[in-house]
Amino acid sequence: MKLRWLAVAIGLLLVAAFSVSTALQIASNHRASYADSKARWIRASIVPGMSRAVAYQMIKSEGLTAYNSAFVKGRPIPAPSPDPRNPLNGTGCEYDTSSGDWPYKNEPLPKQEGACTLNELFGPKTHPDADIELPGAFNIACGWLTEITIAFDESDRITTVNVGTPSPVCM
């Protein structure tokens, strides 16, 4: 009798595992399809010669966000394990990722302190690029990401739109 209950329990666990696996695959396929459709829309709709303002309005209407990581503002925080050999001496950085959204012409870089000064490596930006990330398919260890870069000229018009292919980002 105990073996019968054990067999039933194992069977139920296998059914549950299969159900979870199927649900994850469906969700992954949905995200991959969404990313692919948005990448196709960008290729067709966001074109060289278009102004930054018009491009941003169209991108926002699709529920997407353009950003530039050089403009992300950071706040110094204590690091979990200070290392006296580290010139930053035990400080870390907490980033407000939304502060890099919608970069504009002649936008000044945010003033940073401590470990957050990495954006100074980028230098000043007179006509910053705008990046869009489209998360796609995923599995238990990796996700795929399509990265898009829109470059602008001195008159704030698009010069190039580079839509990458989905690339794995793994743990």
Side-chain angles (χ1 to χ4, degrees), residues 113-134:
E113 299 174 18
C116 302
T117 58
L118 293 178
N119 75 346
E120 293 174 2
L121 300 174
F122 297 108
K125 303 282 186 190
T126 55
H127 41 87
D129 294 347
D131 299 316
I132 299 170
E133 293 181 344
L134 301 172

Side-chain angles (χ1 to χ4, degrees), residues 114-164:
C116 302
T117 58
L118 293 178
N119 75 346
E120 293 174 2
L121 300 174
F122 297 108
K125 303 282 186 190
T126 55
H127 41 87
D129 294 347
D131 299 316
I132 299 170
E133 293 181 344
L134 301 172
F138 60 90
N139 61 33
I140 199 159
C142 298
W144 278 257
L145 186 68
T146 301
E147 296 180 298
I148 299 160
T149 300
I150 304 169
F152 298 88
D153 64 15
E154 58 280 344
S155 63
D156 222 24
R157 296 207 169 267
I158 295 174
T159 57
T160 58
V161 179
N162 180 22
V163 180

Side-chain angles (χ1 to χ4, degrees), residues 6-167:
L6 181 59
V8 168
I10 290 172
L12 289 173
L13 285 174
L14 289 174
V15 168
F18 179 75
S19 297
V20 168
S21 173
T22 301
L24 287 173
Q25 187 60 53
I26 290 169
S28 173
N29 291 346
H30 177 73
R31 275 199 16 185
S33 176
Y34 174 83
D36 182 58
S37 71
K38 293 300 181 184
R40 280 187 279 114
W41 177 84
I42 288 170
R43 277 190 201 97
S45 305
I46 308 299
V47 296
M50 181 180 285
S51 74
R52 185 185 300 262
V54 169
Y56 280 2
Q57 182 180 23
M58 291 174 67
I59 291 165
K60 281 181 187 178
S61 76
E62 286 294 306
L64 301 173
T65 301
Y67 77 98
N68 187 307
S69 59
F71 296 94
V72 173
K73 177 75 174 132
R75 179 178 65 85
I77 57 172
S81 58
D83 179 357
R85 297 168 295 176
N86 182 341
L88 301 174
N89 200 16
T91 62
C93 189
E94 181 176 84
Y95 292 101
D96 170 14
T97 55
S98 67
S99 63
D101 293 355
W102 311 110
Y104 56 88
K105 185 177 180 178
N106 296 319
E107 180 176 359
L109 290 174
K111 298 291 184 205
Q112 305 281 30
E113 299 174 18
C116 302
T117 58
L118 293 178
N119 75 346
E120 293 174 2
L121 300 174
F122 297 108
K125 303 282 186 190
T126 55
H127 41 87
D129 294 347
D131 299 316
I132 299 170
E133 293 181 344
L134 301 172
F138 60 90
N139 61 33
I140 199 159
C142 298
W144 278 257
L145 186 68
T146 301
E147 296 180 298
I148 299 160
T149 300
I150 304 169
F152 298 88
D153 64 15
E154 58 280 344
S155 63
D156 222 24
R157 296 207 169 267
I158 295 174
T159 57
T160 58
V161 179
N162 180 22
V163 180
T165 57
S167 300

